[in-house]
Amino acid sequence: MTTAFKTDETFRDDFRYSNSDAAILRFPFPFPEDTYMYSVNMEPHFPGGATDAFNTAFDVDEHYVGECRERALVLAQDPNRCLVLPHMMQAQWDTLELLMESMARDYPEHFTLERDGDRWTWHNRPLGIHDTFTFGKVDTLPYEPFEYIARQAQGDFTLQDQRENTLYLDGGIATTQADWSLEFNVGMTFHEWHGPVPVAHELGVFDRALQYLMRVRYGQPVRRLNWTMTVNPRLDTSPENYPLWGPDRTTLTPENVGKLLHLRVELQTIFRLPRSNALLFGIRAYLASIEELARVPKWGRRLHRVLRDLHPEIAAYKGTDRYRDTAVAWLSQFDDGAPTEPGIAAGISSLPA
Amino acid sequence: MTDQGIRSRPSYAPLAPDPTGRTHLLVCDGAEPSATAFAPGVGPGDFAEVWTVQGHSKAIPMPHVPQAQHDFRSTSHLLISLRHRLANERMGFRLYAVGAEAFLWDVAKAAAAIGMGRDEYRLHATGSAARRVYCVHCRTMNEGVTTNVVTCSACGAQLFVRDHFSRFNNAYMGVQIDAEVPGETLPIEELYR
């Protein structure tokens, strides 16, 4: 199916953003059961699964053009949202190759890669980009290779160097992040950059996740879903701009919460890179209002139960304290107490009118 | 001191020479290292070489004289020589640092820059617990912060000092405490003396 791109979406100011029925049905809903707790919820990232968002290596959906425009805007305002330490140049080229090969394979109607030795030509039709460059020669591209290709993809990316029995966050691009700072975190180990997350350390989640990730092999990527909540469909919820978006959290009322409060899901994908042996993390953010999600009966019931029963420390860490009661009260209208099917799938093929 | 439950804040074990090392250099940001920095029964004399900061403009190291102690004028002065020294060191070299936390991570950065692993240098914080706080909003370093909330010297934001520490940036993160509701802040407490 060829995706029709929405070309005038905005993720700030007037927030011209919504999901089509098809986009709601393919939303990667993150709760496989009616309660939530941290876990090492990783699985192989092979095409297919409980949501169509899992069908390709790097999902391109109806928001592609708008999200790339938003990314360019953030980088123009704050160039340090893309930072890669100098020893990661090989990982930059690995990333460019992986994304170009994957996007051209999975979406031939939108992207084409022609390789003639080191002479590569890249066509990106949705963004109107057509460049010929020499693989391995930085000065033949308008940006360094990681930034060049990340500007043409949805979601954030980080580069992890593996050494001293841990992973180091030695590069990345973060313009759609859930309140973490690339500029502050760059150079941290896996445990350091997860330092602020409550509860999970005590559960041993990060020790086990690190062991799992360090064993990820080339050609065998893995994925997991993570989530938080965001008021308004705002992609740039960075700590840098918290003074701009923090006040949104005080604006919710019983009348507007359904439209303004968004579930923010991260599809995290982890790829071993072939030359550098680094790990590429894709951190792809999906936004849907709770009103949109409640059109799926199973998800409306389940979101009510998950939010109502959420561990207080996790609820506070995710920034929900000011509005969680309002959201739970609003969602209760969709919860008739009926049991829900296990798993994240919507369980329906079209939305009720 | 309050514990915010954040795991990126370093903790520091007492120092002793690493028996797997071949040569040992101890650097200190004061005139002499505090006795509390060392494991029981260990002192500065157990390290082959000790570099200290005298806070005096006439202090000068004597690199051509074989001696155990060299004096520097300031931490900046010491770090210049340290970077040159590290560039010429080989496998088996071990580096130890004693002093304020910001000094320790300046030393660590110099060590990491020439490829030393985290098990090849050891750090111990002594003296003032005052923090270097990075304003995540305007990217300014605020030095010598002793309170839980501090006004950013550059952008004026009221910053809450998180326990989140970056070894690479050598700073704690400061985040505007009243971004959601202006004026909704905490009583100021002196926590980091």
Side-chain angles (χ1 to χ4, degrees), chain A residues 78 80 85 164 168 181 183-189 191-193 195-196 201-202 239-243 246-247 249-250 322, chain B residues 5-8 116-119 134 136-139 162 164-169 171-177 179-181 184:
Chain A
D78 187 356
N80 275 5
L85 298 185
E164 297 174 343
Y168 282 84
S181 169
E183 191 172 335
F184 187 74
N185 285 12
V186 73
M188 286 191 185
T189 65
H191 280 82
E192 288 164 10
W193 89 70
H201 290 273
E202 288 75 7
E240 285 81 358
N241 282 336
Y242 177 49
R249 287 180 172 164
T250 66
R322 291 188 195 277
Chain B
I6 293 179
R7 304 303 189 86
S8 57
M116 289 178 73
R118 284 195 181 189
D119 52 355
Y134 166 89
V136 74
H137 313 299
C138 83
R139 330 296 169 85
R162 299 181 78 199
H164 200 23
F165 181 77
S166 163
R167 290 150 170 82
F168 185 87
N169 290 307
Y172 289 87
M173 185 192 274
V175 180
Q176 187 174 340
I177 190 169
E180 297 181 13
V181 179
E184 193 177 285

Short mmCIF file of all heavy atoms in Angstrom, two decimals, chain A residues 78 80 85 164 168 181 183-189 191-193 195-196 201-202 239-243 246-247 249-250 322, chain B residues 5-8 116-119 134 136-139 162 164-169 171-177 179-181 184:
data_model
loop_
_atom_site.label_atom_id
_atom_site.label_comp_id
_atom_site.label_asym_id
_atom_site.label_seq_id
_atom_site.Cartn_x
_atom_site.Cartn_y
_atom_site.Cartn_z
N ASP A 78 18.90 24.56 17.02
CA ASP A 78 19.82 23.98 18.02
C ASP A 78 20.69 22.91 17.34
O ASP A 78 20.40 21.72 17.41
CB ASP A 78 18.98 23.35 19.15
CG ASP A 78 19.84 22.88 20.31
OD1 ASP A 78 21.09 22.97 20.22
OD2 ASP A 78 19.27 22.42 21.31
N ASN A 80 23.30 21.41 18.09
CA ASN A 80 23.86 20.35 18.92
C ASN A 80 22.90 19.21 19.19
O ASN A 80 23.25 18.28 19.91
CB ASN A 80 24.35 20.92 20.26
CG ASN A 80 25.75 21.46 20.16
OD1 ASN A 80 26.33 21.50 19.07
ND2 ASN A 80 26.31 21.88 21.28
N LEU A 85 30.72 11.69 18.39
CA LEU A 85 32.12 11.82 18.78
C LEU A 85 33.02 11.37 17.61
O LEU A 85 32.63 10.52 16.81
CB LEU A 85 32.41 11.02 20.04
CG LEU A 85 31.62 11.49 21.28
CD1 LEU A 85 32.05 10.70 22.52
CD2 LEU A 85 31.78 12.98 21.52
N GLU A 164 34.90 -2.04 27.07
CA GLU A 164 34.97 -2.15 28.54
C GLU A 164 33.71 -2.79 29.11
O GLU A 164 33.23 -2.41 30.18
CB GLU A 164 35.23 -0.78 29.18
CG GLU A 164 36.56 -0.19 28.78
CD GLU A 164 36.77 1.23 29.29
OE1 GLU A 164 35.79 1.88 29.68
OE2 GLU A 164 37.93 1.67 29.31
N TYR A 168 28.68 2.69 25.31
CA TYR A 168 28.85 4.13 25.49
C TYR A 168 28.01 4.88 24.46
O TYR A 168 28.07 4.57 23.27
CB TYR A 168 30.32 4.52 25.29
CG TYR A 168 31.20 4.20 26.48
CD1 TYR A 168 31.73 2.94 26.65
CD2 TYR A 168 31.47 5.18 27.43
CE1 TYR A 168 32.54 2.65 27.73
CE2 TYR A 168 32.27 4.89 28.52
CZ TYR A 168 32.80 3.63 28.68
OH TYR A 168 33.58 3.35 29.76
N SER A 181 18.50 14.53 27.33
CA SER A 181 19.38 15.46 26.60
C SER A 181 20.55 14.73 25.99
O SER A 181 21.39 14.17 26.70
CB SER A 181 19.90 16.53 27.57
OG SER A 181 20.94 17.26 26.94
N GLU A 183 23.01 16.20 24.40
CA GLU A 183 24.22 16.97 24.67
C GLU A 183 24.75 16.67 26.08
O GLU A 183 25.96 16.61 26.30
CB GLU A 183 23.93 18.47 24.51
CG GLU A 183 25.17 19.33 24.50
CD GLU A 183 24.86 20.79 24.14
OE1 GLU A 183 23.84 21.06 23.48
OE2 GLU A 183 25.66 21.65 24.54
N PHE A 184 23.87 16.49 27.04
CA PHE A 184 24.32 16.17 28.39
C PHE A 184 24.75 14.71 28.50
O PHE A 184 25.72 14.39 29.18
CB PHE A 184 23.21 16.46 29.41
CG PHE A 184 23.67 16.31 30.84
CD1 PHE A 184 24.49 17.26 31.43
CD2 PHE A 184 23.31 15.19 31.58
CE1 PHE A 184 24.94 17.11 32.73
CE2 PHE A 184 23.76 15.04 32.89
CZ PHE A 184 24.58 16.00 33.47
N ASN A 185 24.03 13.81 27.85
CA ASN A 185 24.28 12.37 28.03
C ASN A 185 25.39 11.83 27.17
O ASN A 185 25.83 10.70 27.39
CB ASN A 185 23.00 11.58 27.74
CG ASN A 185 21.96 11.68 28.85
OD1 ASN A 185 22.09 12.50 29.74
ND2 ASN A 185 20.95 10.86 28.78
N VAL A 186 25.84 12.56 26.17
CA VAL A 186 26.83 12.00 25.25
C VAL A 186 28.07 11.57 26.03
O VAL A 186 28.49 12.22 26.99
CB VAL A 186 27.18 13.02 24.13
CG1 VAL A 186 28.04 14.17 24.66
CG2 VAL A 186 27.87 12.33 22.96
N GLY A 187 28.60 10.39 25.68
CA GLY A 187 29.78 9.87 26.38
C GLY A 187 29.45 9.01 27.58
O GLY A 187 30.35 8.43 28.19
N MET A 188 28.15 8.89 27.95
CA MET A 188 27.79 8.10 29.13
C MET A 188 27.76 6.61 28.81
O MET A 188 27.52 6.20 27.68
CB MET A 188 26.40 8.50 29.65
CG MET A 188 26.38 9.83 30.36
SD MET A 188 24.79 10.04 31.21
CE MET A 188 25.00 11.72 31.81
N THR A 189 27.93 5.81 29.88
CA THR A 189 27.71 4.37 29.77
C THR A 189 26.21 4.08 29.85
O THR A 189 25.42 4.91 30.28
CB THR A 189 28.39 3.60 30.90
OG1 THR A 189 27.76 3.95 32.14
CG2 THR A 189 29.88 3.90 30.98
N HIS A 191 24.48 2.29 31.94
CA HIS A 191 23.87 2.48 33.26
C HIS A 191 23.79 3.95 33.63
O HIS A 191 22.87 4.38 34.32
CB HIS A 191 24.61 1.68 34.32
CG HIS A 191 24.24 0.23 34.35
ND1 HIS A 191 24.79 -0.69 33.48
CD2 HIS A 191 23.36 -0.47 35.10
CE1 HIS A 191 24.26 -1.89 33.73
NE2 HIS A 191 23.39 -1.78 34.71
N GLU A 192 24.76 4.74 33.19
CA GLU A 192 24.73 6.16 33.52
C GLU A 192 23.57 6.86 32.82
O GLU A 192 22.85 7.66 33.43
CB GLU A 192 26.05 6.83 33.14
CG GLU A 192 27.20 6.45 34.05
CD GLU A 192 28.57 6.78 33.46
OE1 GLU A 192 28.63 7.47 32.42
OE2 GLU A 192 29.56 6.33 34.04
N TRP A 193 23.38 6.58 31.52
CA TRP A 193 22.32 7.35 30.86
C TRP A 193 20.94 6.90 31.30
O TRP A 193 19.99 7.65 31.20
CB TRP A 193 22.51 7.43 29.35
CG TRP A 193 21.93 6.38 28.47
CD1 TRP A 193 20.62 6.17 28.19
CD2 TRP A 193 22.67 5.42 27.69
NE1 TRP A 193 20.50 5.11 27.30
CE2 TRP A 193 21.72 4.64 26.97
CE3 TRP A 193 24.03 5.13 27.51
CZ2 TRP A 193 22.11 3.62 26.11
CZ3 TRP A 193 24.40 4.12 26.66
CH2 TRP A 193 23.44 3.37 25.98
N GLY A 195 20.45 6.35 34.44
CA GLY A 195 20.51 6.66 35.87
C GLY A 195 19.22 7.21 36.43
O GLY A 195 18.79 6.80 37.52
N PRO A 196 18.55 8.15 35.76
CA PRO A 196 17.35 8.76 36.35
C PRO A 196 16.12 7.87 36.36
O PRO A 196 15.14 8.22 37.01
CB PRO A 196 17.09 9.99 35.46
CG PRO A 196 18.40 10.25 34.77
CD PRO A 196 19.02 8.91 34.58
N HIS A 201 16.18 -0.17 38.02
CA HIS A 201 17.51 -0.64 38.45
C HIS A 201 17.37 -1.75 39.49
O HIS A 201 18.05 -2.76 39.43
CB HIS A 201 18.32 0.52 39.04
CG HIS A 201 18.76 1.52 38.01
ND1 HIS A 201 19.93 1.38 37.29
CD2 HIS A 201 18.18 2.66 37.57
CE1 HIS A 201 20.06 2.40 36.47
NE2 HIS A 201 19.00 3.20 36.61
N GLU A 202 16.44 -1.52 40.45
CA GLU A 202 16.26 -2.49 41.52
C GLU A 202 15.76 -3.83 40.97
O GLU A 202 16.02 -4.88 41.53
CB GLU A 202 15.28 -1.95 42.57
CG GLU A 202 15.83 -0.82 43.43
CD GLU A 202 15.92 0.52 42.72
OE1 GLU A 202 15.41 0.64 41.58
OE2 GLU A 202 16.50 1.46 43.30
N PRO A 239 14.66 18.26 27.24
CA PRO A 239 14.93 19.06 28.44
C PRO A 239 15.35 20.48 28.07
O PRO A 239 15.01 21.43 28.79
CB PRO A 239 16.08 18.32 29.13
CG PRO A 239 16.20 17.02 28.46
CD PRO A 239 15.53 17.10 27.13
N GLU A 240 16.06 20.63 26.97
CA GLU A 240 16.50 21.96 26.55
C GLU A 240 15.31 22.91 26.45
O GLU A 240 15.38 24.07 26.88
CB GLU A 240 17.23 21.88 25.19
CG GLU A 240 18.63 21.31 25.25
CD GLU A 240 18.70 19.79 25.29
OE1 GLU A 240 17.62 19.12 25.31
OE2 GLU A 240 19.82 19.24 25.35
N ASN A 241 14.21 22.43 25.89
CA ASN A 241 13.04 23.28 25.66
C ASN A 241 11.91 23.04 26.67
O ASN A 241 10.78 23.46 26.44
CB ASN A 241 12.51 23.09 24.23
CG ASN A 241 13.38 23.85 23.24
OD1 ASN A 241 14.06 24.81 23.60
ND2 ASN A 241 13.39 23.39 22.00
N TYR A 242 12.23 22.42 27.79
CA TYR A 242 11.22 22.20 28.84
C TYR A 242 10.54 23.50 29.27
O TYR A 242 9.32 23.51 29.51
CB TYR A 242 11.90 21.50 30.01
CG TYR A 242 11.07 21.23 31.24
CD1 TYR A 242 9.81 20.64 31.16
CD2 TYR A 242 11.58 21.53 32.49
CE1 TYR A 242 9.08 20.39 32.31
CE2 TYR A 242 10.86 21.27 33.65
CZ TYR A 242 9.61 20.70 33.55
OH TYR A 242 8.90 20.45 34.70
N PRO A 243 11.24 24.64 29.34
CA PRO A 243 10.52 25.89 29.66
C PRO A 243 9.41 26.22 28.66
O PRO A 243 8.45 26.90 29.00
CB PRO A 243 11.63 26.95 29.64
CG PRO A 243 12.87 26.18 29.98
CD PRO A 243 12.71 24.85 29.29
N GLY A 246 6.78 22.64 29.22
CA GLY A 246 6.36 22.28 30.57
C GLY A 246 4.98 22.83 30.94
O GLY A 246 4.15 22.11 31.52
N PRO A 247 4.70 24.10 30.61
CA PRO A 247 3.38 24.67 30.98
C PRO A 247 2.20 23.92 30.36
O PRO A 247 1.08 23.98 30.90
CB PRO A 247 3.45 26.11 30.45
CG PRO A 247 4.92 26.42 30.42
CD PRO A 247 5.59 25.12 30.05
N ARG A 249 1.46 21.01 30.61
CA ARG A 249 0.95 20.00 31.55
C ARG A 249 -0.14 20.56 32.48
O ARG A 249 -0.83 19.78 33.13
CB ARG A 249 2.10 19.43 32.39
CG ARG A 249 3.00 18.50 31.59
CD ARG A 249 4.11 17.97 32.46
NE ARG A 249 4.87 16.92 31.76
CZ ARG A 249 6.07 16.48 32.14
NH1 ARG A 249 6.64 17.01 33.22
NH2 ARG A 249 6.69 15.54 31.48
N THR A 250 -0.24 21.87 32.54
CA THR A 250 -1.26 22.47 33.43
C THR A 250 -2.54 22.81 32.68
O THR A 250 -3.47 23.37 33.28
CB THR A 250 -0.72 23.76 34.07
OG1 THR A 250 -0.54 24.74 33.03
CG2 THR A 250 0.62 23.53 34.76
N ARG A 322 0.28 15.82 37.26
CA ARG A 322 -0.69 16.93 37.24
C ARG A 322 -2.02 16.55 36.58
O ARG A 322 -3.02 17.23 36.78
CB ARG A 322 -0.12 18.14 36.49
CG ARG A 322 1.01 18.82 37.22
CD ARG A 322 1.39 20.12 36.52
NE ARG A 322 2.66 20.60 36.99
CZ ARG A 322 2.82 21.32 38.11
NH1 ARG A 322 1.78 21.63 38.83
NH2 ARG A 322 4.03 21.71 38.48
N GLY B 5 18.04 9.04 44.16
CA GLY B 5 17.83 7.73 43.55
C GLY B 5 18.37 7.61 42.14
O GLY B 5 18.06 6.67 41.43
N ILE B 6 19.21 8.56 41.73
CA ILE B 6 19.75 8.55 40.37
C ILE B 6 21.11 7.86 40.38
O ILE B 6 21.95 8.15 41.22
CB ILE B 6 19.83 9.98 39.81
CG1 ILE B 6 18.43 10.53 39.63
CG2 ILE B 6 20.60 10.01 38.49
CD1 ILE B 6 18.36 11.95 39.12
N ARG B 7 21.31 6.95 39.44
CA ARG B 7 22.48 6.08 39.48
C ARG B 7 23.68 6.58 38.70
O ARG B 7 24.65 5.86 38.56
CB ARG B 7 22.10 4.69 38.95
CG ARG B 7 20.95 4.05 39.69
CD ARG B 7 21.26 3.95 41.18
NE ARG B 7 20.24 3.16 41.87
CZ ARG B 7 20.28 1.83 41.97
NH1 ARG B 7 21.25 1.16 41.43
NH2 ARG B 7 19.34 1.18 42.60
N SER B 8 23.62 7.78 38.16
CA SER B 8 24.79 8.24 37.40
C SER B 8 25.76 9.02 38.27
O SER B 8 26.84 9.36 37.85
CB SER B 8 24.34 9.11 36.22
OG SER B 8 23.55 10.19 36.67
N MET B 116 43.18 5.70 27.80
CA MET B 116 43.21 4.89 29.03
C MET B 116 41.82 4.40 29.36
O MET B 116 40.84 5.14 29.23
CB MET B 116 43.76 5.73 30.20
CG MET B 116 45.25 6.02 30.09
SD MET B 116 45.87 7.06 31.45
CE MET B 116 45.87 5.89 32.83
N GLY B 117 41.70 3.16 29.79
CA GLY B 117 40.42 2.60 30.18
C GLY B 117 40.05 3.03 31.59
O GLY B 117 40.89 3.51 32.35
N ARG B 118 38.78 2.79 31.95
CA ARG B 118 38.31 3.24 33.27
C ARG B 118 38.99 2.48 34.41
O ARG B 118 38.95 2.94 35.55
CB ARG B 118 36.80 3.10 33.37
CG ARG B 118 36.07 4.20 32.62
CD ARG B 118 34.61 4.27 33.04
NE ARG B 118 33.92 5.31 32.28
CZ ARG B 118 32.69 5.73 32.55
NH1 ARG B 118 32.02 5.20 33.55
NH2 ARG B 118 32.12 6.67 31.82
N ASP B 119 39.58 1.32 34.14
CA ASP B 119 40.28 0.62 35.21
C ASP B 119 41.74 1.03 35.31
O ASP B 119 42.48 0.51 36.14
CB ASP B 119 40.16 -0.90 35.02
CG ASP B 119 40.58 -1.33 33.63
OD1 ASP B 119 40.86 -0.44 32.79
OD2 ASP B 119 40.63 -2.55 33.37
N TYR B 134 25.35 22.31 35.08
CA TYR B 134 25.15 22.65 33.67
C TYR B 134 23.68 23.03 33.48
O TYR B 134 22.79 22.23 33.80
CB TYR B 134 25.52 21.43 32.85
CG TYR B 134 25.11 21.39 31.41
CD1 TYR B 134 25.94 21.92 30.41
CD2 TYR B 134 23.93 20.75 31.02
CE1 TYR B 134 25.59 21.81 29.07
CE2 TYR B 134 23.58 20.65 29.68
CZ TYR B 134 24.41 21.19 28.72
OH TYR B 134 24.06 21.09 27.39
N VAL B 136 20.74 23.01 31.45
CA VAL B 136 20.39 22.26 30.24
C VAL B 136 19.67 23.15 29.23
O VAL B 136 19.60 22.83 28.05
CB VAL B 136 19.56 21.01 30.60
CG1 VAL B 136 18.14 21.38 30.98
CG2 VAL B 136 19.59 19.98 29.49
N HIS B 137 19.15 24.29 29.70
CA HIS B 137 18.40 25.17 28.81
C HIS B 137 19.31 26.10 28.02
O HIS B 137 19.18 26.24 26.81
CB HIS B 137 17.36 25.97 29.60
CG HIS B 137 16.58 25.10 30.53
ND1 HIS B 137 15.79 24.06 30.09
CD2 HIS B 137 16.49 25.08 31.89
CE1 HIS B 137 15.25 23.44 31.13
NE2 HIS B 137 15.66 24.04 32.23
N CYS B 138 20.28 26.75 28.71
CA CYS B 138 21.13 27.72 28.00
C CYS B 138 22.57 27.24 27.88
O CYS B 138 23.39 27.91 27.27
CB CYS B 138 21.07 29.10 28.65
SG CYS B 138 22.15 29.32 30.06
N ARG B 139 22.91 26.06 28.47
CA ARG B 139 24.19 25.37 28.29
C ARG B 139 25.35 26.08 28.98
O ARG B 139 26.49 25.97 28.55
CB ARG B 139 24.55 25.17 26.79
CG ARG B 139 23.37 25.03 25.85
CD ARG B 139 22.55 23.79 26.12
NE ARG B 139 21.30 23.83 25.37
CZ ARG B 139 21.17 23.42 24.10
NH1 ARG B 139 22.18 22.96 23.45
NH2 ARG B 139 19.99 23.47 23.52
N ARG B 162 19.95 18.28 39.74
CA ARG B 162 19.68 16.84 39.75
C ARG B 162 20.96 16.08 40.10
O ARG B 162 22.06 16.56 39.85
CB ARG B 162 19.20 16.37 38.38
CG ARG B 162 17.92 17.01 37.92
CD ARG B 162 17.52 16.46 36.56
NE ARG B 162 16.91 15.13 36.64
CZ ARG B 162 16.81 14.29 35.61
NH1 ARG B 162 17.30 14.62 34.43
NH2 ARG B 162 16.25 13.12 35.76
N HIS B 164 21.94 13.73 38.45
CA HIS B 164 22.39 13.17 37.17
C HIS B 164 23.72 13.82 36.79
O HIS B 164 23.79 15.03 36.58
CB HIS B 164 21.33 13.48 36.12
CG HIS B 164 21.38 12.61 34.90
ND1 HIS B 164 21.97 11.36 34.87
CD2 HIS B 164 20.91 12.81 33.63
CE1 HIS B 164 21.85 10.84 33.66
NE2 HIS B 164 21.21 11.70 32.89
N PHE B 165 24.79 13.01 36.74
CA PHE B 165 26.14 13.54 36.52
C PHE B 165 26.70 13.02 35.21
O PHE B 165 26.62 11.83 34.92
CB PHE B 165 27.06 13.10 37.68
CG PHE B 165 28.46 13.62 37.55
CD1 PHE B 165 28.76 14.94 37.86
CD2 PHE B 165 29.49 12.79 37.11
CE1 PHE B 165 30.06 15.43 37.74
CE2 PHE B 165 30.80 13.28 36.99
CZ PHE B 165 31.07 14.60 37.31
N SER B 166 27.28 13.91 34.43
CA SER B 166 27.95 13.52 33.19
C SER B 166 29.46 13.58 33.41
O SER B 166 30.01 14.65 33.65
CB SER B 166 27.59 14.47 32.05
OG SER B 166 28.53 14.33 30.99
N ARG B 167 30.11 12.42 33.33
CA ARG B 167 31.57 12.39 33.44
C ARG B 167 32.20 13.09 32.24
O ARG B 167 33.24 13.74 32.37
CB ARG B 167 32.05 10.94 33.51
CG ARG B 167 31.69 10.25 34.82
CD ARG B 167 31.48 8.76 34.62
NE ARG B 167 31.35 8.02 35.88
CZ ARG B 167 30.25 7.92 36.59
NH1 ARG B 167 29.15 8.54 36.19
NH2 ARG B 167 30.21 7.22 37.69
N PHE B 168 31.58 12.94 31.09
CA PHE B 168 32.12 13.53 29.85
C PHE B 168 32.04 15.06 29.92
O PHE B 168 33.01 15.76 29.60
CB PHE B 168 31.32 13.00 28.66
CG PHE B 168 31.82 13.44 27.32
CD1 PHE B 168 32.80 12.72 26.67
CD2 PHE B 168 31.28 14.57 26.70
CE1 PHE B 168 33.26 13.12 25.42
CE2 PHE B 168 31.73 14.96 25.45
CZ PHE B 168 32.73 14.24 24.81
N ASN B 169 30.91 15.58 30.36
CA ASN B 169 30.76 17.04 30.47
C ASN B 169 31.21 17.57 31.82
O ASN B 169 31.28 18.79 32.01
CB ASN B 169 29.29 17.43 30.25
CG ASN B 169 28.85 17.25 28.81
OD1 ASN B 169 29.49 17.76 27.91
ND2 ASN B 169 27.79 16.50 28.59
N ALA B 171 29.79 17.60 34.87
CA ALA B 171 28.82 18.51 35.48
C ALA B 171 27.57 17.74 35.87
O ALA B 171 27.28 16.67 35.33
CB ALA B 171 28.44 19.63 34.51
N TYR B 172 26.85 18.33 36.83
CA TYR B 172 25.50 17.87 37.16
C TYR B 172 24.50 18.65 36.31
O TYR B 172 24.76 19.78 35.89
CB TYR B 172 25.20 18.12 38.65
CG TYR B 172 25.97 17.19 39.55
CD1 TYR B 172 27.26 17.51 39.97
CD2 TYR B 172 25.43 15.99 39.96
CE1 TYR B 172 27.98 16.65 40.78
CE2 TYR B 172 26.14 15.12 40.77
CZ TYR B 172 27.42 15.45 41.18
OH TYR B 172 28.12 14.59 41.97
N MET B 173 23.34 18.02 36.10
CA MET B 173 22.34 18.68 35.28
C MET B 173 21.46 19.59 36.12
O MET B 173 20.96 19.20 37.17
CB MET B 173 21.46 17.65 34.57
CG MET B 173 20.47 18.29 33.59
SD MET B 173 19.20 17.13 33.02
CE MET B 173 20.04 16.38 31.65
N GLY B 174 21.26 20.82 35.63
CA GLY B 174 20.31 21.74 36.23
C GLY B 174 19.12 21.92 35.31
O GLY B 174 19.29 22.19 34.12
N VAL B 175 17.91 21.75 35.87
CA VAL B 175 16.67 21.84 35.10
C VAL B 175 15.75 22.84 35.77
O VAL B 175 15.58 22.80 37.00
CB VAL B 175 15.96 20.47 35.04
CG1 VAL B 175 14.67 20.56 34.24
CG2 VAL B 175 16.88 19.42 34.42
N GLN B 176 15.13 23.69 34.99
CA GLN B 176 14.27 24.72 35.57
C GLN B 176 13.18 24.09 36.43
O GLN B 176 12.41 23.23 35.97
CB GLN B 176 13.62 25.57 34.48
CG GLN B 176 12.86 26.77 35.08
CD GLN B 176 12.33 27.73 34.04
OE1 GLN B 176 12.78 27.75 32.90
NE2 GLN B 176 11.35 28.52 34.44
N ILE B 177 13.13 24.51 37.70
CA ILE B 177 12.24 23.83 38.65
C ILE B 177 10.79 24.28 38.49
O ILE B 177 9.86 23.51 38.76
CB ILE B 177 12.73 24.06 40.09
CG1 ILE B 177 11.97 23.15 41.07
CG2 ILE B 177 12.66 25.52 40.50
CD1 ILE B 177 12.58 23.11 42.46
N ALA B 179 9.27 25.40 35.59
CA ALA B 179 8.90 25.56 34.18
C ALA B 179 7.41 25.35 33.96
O ALA B 179 6.80 25.97 33.09
CB ALA B 179 9.70 24.59 33.31
N GLU B 180 6.80 24.45 34.74
CA GLU B 180 5.38 24.15 34.52
C GLU B 180 4.49 25.23 35.13
O GLU B 180 3.53 25.66 34.50
CB GLU B 180 5.06 22.77 35.09
CG GLU B 180 5.86 21.67 34.36
CD GLU B 180 5.57 20.26 34.84
OE1 GLU B 180 4.58 20.05 35.56
OE2 GLU B 180 6.36 19.36 34.50
N VAL B 181 4.82 25.64 36.35
CA VAL B 181 4.06 26.70 37.03
C VAL B 181 5.07 27.70 37.60
O VAL B 181 5.79 27.38 38.54
CB VAL B 181 3.20 26.12 38.17
CG1 VAL B 181 2.44 27.24 38.88
CG2 VAL B 181 2.23 25.06 37.64
N GLU B 184 6.56 28.01 41.35
CA GLU B 184 6.34 26.79 42.13
C GLU B 184 7.69 26.11 42.33
O GLU B 184 8.17 25.38 41.47
CB GLU B 184 5.36 25.87 41.39
CG GLU B 184 4.83 24.74 42.23
CD GLU B 184 3.81 23.90 41.46
OE1 GLU B 184 2.67 24.36 41.29
OE2 GLU B 184 4.16 22.80 41.02
#
